[in-house]
Amino acid sequence: MKMQPPRGTRDILPEEARQHRHIEKVAFEKAQLFGYGEIRSPIFEFKDVFHRTLGDSSDIVSKETYTFEDRGGEVLTLRPEGTAGVARAFISEGLAQHLPLKLIYAGPMFRYERPQKGRYRQFQQIGIECLGIESHIADIEGISFAFQFLNDLGLDGKFTLEINTLGDPESRQIYKDKLVAYLNLHKDKLSADSLVRLEKNPLRILDSKDAGDREILKDVPKLSESLNEYSQKFFEQVTAGLSKLNIPFTLNEKLVRGLDYYNHTVFEFTTTLLGSQSAIVAGGRYDGLIELMGGPKTAGFGWAAGVDRLAELLDKSLIAEAKTTVGIISADESTELTCIELAHELRLQNISCEFITGGNVGKKMKKAAEKIQCTFAVIIGENEMSQNMLTVKNLKDGQQASMSKQEFFEKASKV
Ligand code: HAM
């Protein structure tokens, strides 16, 4: 038996788990300000929920899903992302009467990717989906949500926002035709990956990392030149909104995103501090998705943040572990029960404490002071028990005194 987590997965130990919780807490507090409610959808769905929606040529569907047959013969996929599951829930729960609908979720996603720092096969996302708002207001507010969230995490100055528009389906088709015509002229020099994409999803060639492809892309026709009036105006309204809110952004005409369901606005918040895994929040508009899945025509906008990556960026000193206030030391075996009772009562008063075990009183005291870094050590031996008093040492200033339980509770509750 292999005593290791499977490749691309990892154990999130207390220190990092605390960071994840902090990130979720900040996101959910922000969600409340923006009127979002939480959704918890299943971690696995029928395969088609993802395979029919994310695009056959997307990396996720073509090579990254964990798909399996369960014991009943159903073909299921571990969710590689959250949007398709939310769209499925929207249809199966009949949520169309509740539009507009603003939903937030947090949880693990699964992609069979080549693992490296910041890229895992099981990773944690926080995502939002805003359904039923056709107006550019949804895009502006959604991006502003992400911007405020990142700033509240103390990440200002550590990220930039890149934004682009893919236009509506009509504009995109016009562009696709121009793009394919151009790329066909350079077919002999395109990378193998891009040749496949030329057939299946030519837009993805725009963000190719291959040096030869990039050379060809220098003179590629611009998507912005194929936008119809509606798409152009829509994007202008989005960027005007961001400017009004003082949200800095750069236009990146090559930003197309890896999933097929997007139209109009697409964006990524990226950082230069995490090496090649630079996207920390990414998303866009997906007006056709729910209809494609068999639901009513419904506008959609959303994003997802990579929690593992955000945790890497956090200033860890801002979320230091809460210290234990009291270390309880029984000087004799006979006082153990009294000590346990004291611990019980302290915790009922919301005062954190730990029953210190191992070694003599001196050793326990050292442990309380240095390892656990308690503010107080309380020692109970036979004397203390018979006099119904506590010996309390303030481990920060070294002062020691005898006092009643009541007196000590008052002191400890002020820490
Ligand atoms: P995505 O760009 O595939 O979009 O993922 C969003 C974020 O999840 C990325 O920017 C990154 O921070 C994180 N992420 C993705 N893959 C990994 C990985 N293997 N390891 C660690 N972190 C990762 C979506 O998932 C869309 N559903 C976003 C969306 C919501 N669009 C509309 N609504």
Side-chain angles (χ1 to χ4, degrees):
M1 199 198 315
K2 277 194 195 165
M3 280 306 169
Q4 281 168 348
R7 197 163 130 75
T9 71
R10 65 212 177 95
D11 301 302
I12 312 282
L13 298 177
E15 195 186 338
E16 193 180 350
R18 201 169 52 246
Q19 295 157 13
H20 282 211
R21 254 184 203 281
H22 174 73
I23 294 167
E24 282 177 15
K25 184 168 161 273
V26 171
F28 278 82
E29 280 170 5
K30 196 94 281 178
Q32 210 239 327
L33 299 180
F34 278 83
Y36 279 72
E38 183 178 1
I39 180 166
R40 298 187 180 209
S41 65
I43 273 174
F44 52 84
E45 298 271 356
F46 290 120
K47 173 184 164 202
D48 278 356
V49 168
F50 305 109
H51 282 247
R52 277 191 33 209
T53 53
L54 308 185
D56 278 340
S57 66
S58 69
D59 284 349
I60 294 185
V61 164
S62 60
K63 44 191 188 209
E64 291 173 3
T65 52
Y66 282 89
T67 294
F68 59 96
E69 198 179 304
D70 76 1
R71 289 165 200 273
E74 302 284 12
V75 182
L76 305 170
T77 295
L78 295 184
R79 62 179 184 195
E81 60 98 57
T83 313
V86 170
R88 192 277 306 142
F90 175 81
I91 298 168
S92 49
E93 300 295 331
L95 299 178
Q97 298 109 334
H98 302 281
L99 289 173
L101 197 61
K102 296 181 183 177
L103 299 168
I104 177 166
Y105 51 87
M109 307 291 161
F110 306 86
R111 296 182 192 176
Y112 190 82
E113 294 197 82
R114 197 166 44 77
Q116 55 174 259
K117 195 164 175 56
R119 186 165 70 197
Y120 307 102
R121 289 182 175 172
Q122 175 176 337
F123 59 98
Q124 198 71 12
Q125 269 189 355
I126 296 170
I128 66 151
E129 312 296 348
C130 170
L131 302 174
I133 301 184
E134 268 173 45
S135 151
H136 55 277
I137 300 294
D139 309 48
I140 299 166
E141 292 215 316
I143 293 173
S144 138
F145 183 161
F147 180 73
Q148 290 193 16
F149 164 54
L150 293 175
N151 283 334
D152 281 6
L153 289 175
L155 300 181
D156 34 324
K158 292 186 174 175
F159 62 83
T160 48
L161 166 61
E162 291 179 32
I163 183 167
N164 191 21
T165 178
L166 302 176
D168 63 2
E170 182 194 275
S171 307
R172 230 184 24 232
Q173 193 52 51
I174 294 171
Y175 180 65
K176 252 188 201 168
D177 293 344
K178 279 194 207 166
L179 179 68
V180 170
Y182 172 82
L183 292 172
N184 268 324
L185 297 175
H186 303 274
K187 219 172 165 180
D188 49 330
K189 289 192 223 105
L190 277 179
S191 67
D193 265 358
S194 291
L195 274 177
V196 175
R197 286 185 169 147
L198 187 59
E199 299 297 320
K200 294 188 166 170
N201 189 353
L203 244 63
R204 284 301 313 277
I205 298 177
L206 291 178
D207 69 1
S208 167
K209 307 277 179 285
D210 180 88
D213 290 348
R214 289 181 94 99
E215 202 48 44
I216 298 168
L217 291 172
K218 277 187 181 157
D219 297 319
V220 78
K222 290 190 162 183
L223 206 157
S224 56
E225 285 160 8
S226 297
L227 295 178
N228 57 22
E229 211 182 313
Y230 175 75
S231 302
Q232 211 167 357
K233 179 147 184 258
F234 192 93
F235 192 54
E236 277 164 16
Q237 284 166 319
V238 173
T239 52
L242 296 178
S243 300
K244 180 77 185 159
L245 301 184
N246 285 325
I247 299 175
F249 60 88
T250 48
L251 294 177
N252 175 358
E253 284 226 31
K254 305 236 159 95
L255 180 68
V256 288
R257 309 269 304 124
L259 305 166
D260 269 10
Y261 51 57
Y262 292 110
N263 50 34
H264 291 291
T265 319
V266 287
F267 67 95
E268 284 185 0
F269 285 88
T270 58
T271 178
T272 52
L273 302 171
L274 294 179
S276 59
Q277 302 311 308
S278 58
I280 48 175
V281 177
R285 179 166 277 278
Y286 51 89
D287 291 345
L289 176 65
I290 288 176
E291 205 178 359
L292 174 79
M293 293 173 83
K297 189 168 182 298
T298 311
F301 180 89
W303 50 255
V307 176
D308 307 76
R309 294 181 191 178
L310 291 177
E312 277 290 318
L313 288 179
L314 280 188
D315 178 349
K316 313 295 187 284
S317 65
L318 296 179
I319 41 163
E321 184 184 6
K323 294 270 180 283
T324 303
T325 308
V326 187
I328 302 173
I329 296 171
S330 80
D332 299 294
E333 230 181 274
S334 61
T335 59
E336 252 179 33
L337 273 183
T338 311
C339 286
I340 290 174
E341 188 188 23
L342 176 67
H344 178 71
E345 289 170 356
L346 280 167
R347 290 176 186 133
L348 285 174
Q349 302 287 324
N350 280 329
I351 299 168
S352 62
C353 62
E354 191 159 328
F355 187 101
I356 317 270
T357 55
N360 57 22
V361 171
K363 226 174 173 178
K364 288 179 185 166
M365 196 77 100
K366 200 164 162 338
K367 198 168 172 184
E370 292 171 14
K371 184 156 184 265
I372 312 176
Q373 297 183 352
C374 302
T375 308
F376 301 104
V378 173
I379 303 125
I380 306 180
E382 291 196 339
N383 268 349
E384 284 84 359
M385 205 161 83
S386 63
Q387 290 167 18
N388 207 15
M389 297 292 272
L390 306 173
T391 297
V392 175
K393 182 166 183 176
N394 183 324
L395 296 170
K396 303 297 167 195
D397 62 15
Q399 301 264 356
Q400 187 163 314
S402 176
M403 63 187 77
S404 70
K405 217 187 238 183
Q406 188 57 33
E407 230 178 307
F408 177 61
F409 273 39
E410 271 169 34
K411 237 182 195 330
S413 63
K414 290 192 186 119
V415 172

